[in-house]
Amino acid sequence: MDDDVLDAFGSLLPEGDYLPLLLRVEPRLVVPGQEGDYFSSEQVATWGIDHFWGLPEHPRTPYYRTFETAVDDSAHLYEFVVPMVPPSWNERERVEEYAEQLARGAMPTAVAVSTLDLCRPAVSTESTDEYEHWGLTHFSSTVITSWRRQQRLDVPRNFCRSWP
């Protein structure tokens, strides 16, 4: 990794401990409520649907999933890429320019600040998935769609920790 890039972006972050990583991802677009939606499948399998609304949580916009794996016998990792602007802010010409560059084999680099949320049921539930969920979310200003996590934490049902 380039020290100048780390210094430039590191100076923008609050003081704290960070782990710089260079990752290669192939994000796949997910539309809420459709196939592959974490909030309609994995999250519902563990916590069920929202008791007030009777529906799964909804991120309110498409988002990207990149990687998921079992961490151990009791935990799963789910990785998301979350752009920082809504899709309506995209300039069509700029998106087409990026698409052309990708078609020619370009491999762009994005800088993102990530958080790791560890969530698990606080009490035994009737869920089909009792795993702790590790949600690694990369917040980036250079990807095409947007999602801002607005999930309500229901303390009696789950326990969450978050690290930047």
Side-chain angles (χ1 to χ4, degrees):
M1 282 187 273
D2 187 321
D3 287 335
D4 290 338
V5 172
L6 291 176
D7 289 341
F9 284 97
S11 68
L12 301 173
L13 298 172
E15 187 173 326
D17 294 325
Y18 297 91
L19 175 62
L21 299 172
L22 182 59
L23 303 173
R24 180 179 176 157
V25 297
E26 294 184 25
R28 60 188 187 285
L29 181 63
V30 175
V31 176
Q34 294 186 8
E35 184 179 339
D37 179 21
Y38 169 83
F39 301 95
S40 298
S41 56
E42 292 95 346
Q43 189 181 53
V44 169
T46 298
W47 289 283
I49 59 173
D50 181 275
H51 290 288
F52 180 80
W53 296 108
L55 298 168
E57 296 291 338
H58 195 289
R60 312 238 183 328
T61 189
Y63 59 95
Y64 292 91
R65 292 186 72 169
T66 58
F67 179 74
E68 58 235 28
T69 189
V71 175
D72 60 28
D73 290 341
S74 64
H76 288 167
L77 170 73
Y78 304 96
E79 186 178 34
F80 307 95
V81 174
V82 181
M84 298 299 287
V85 299
S88 61
W89 290 12
N90 291 325
E91 296 176 5
R92 178 171 281 299
E93 297 79 24
R94 176 66 99 185
V95 173
E96 289 171 358
E97 180 183 327
Y98 286 140
E100 289 173 15
Q101 290 177 13
L102 290 169
R104 290 193 304 266
M107 294 186 57
T109 299
V111 174
V113 174
S114 305
T115 60
L116 176 62
D117 291 326
L118 303 183
C119 302
R120 67 174 176 257
V123 295
S124 182
T125 64
E126 296 179 17
S127 71
T128 59
D129 175 358
E130 289 287 330
Y131 292 101
E132 180 175 67
H133 290 215
W134 290 30
L136 182 58
T137 305
H138 307 288
F139 296 92
S140 173
S141 62
T142 58
V143 185
I144 295 172
T145 66
S146 174
W147 165 69
R148 185 176 301 249
R149 188 169 181 171
Q150 297 178 345
Q151 178 181 1
R152 186 181 73 253
L153 297 179
D154 188 359
V155 176
R157 293 176 58 211
N158 63 31
F159 169 75
C160 293
R161 302 184 302 255
S162 180
W163 294 278

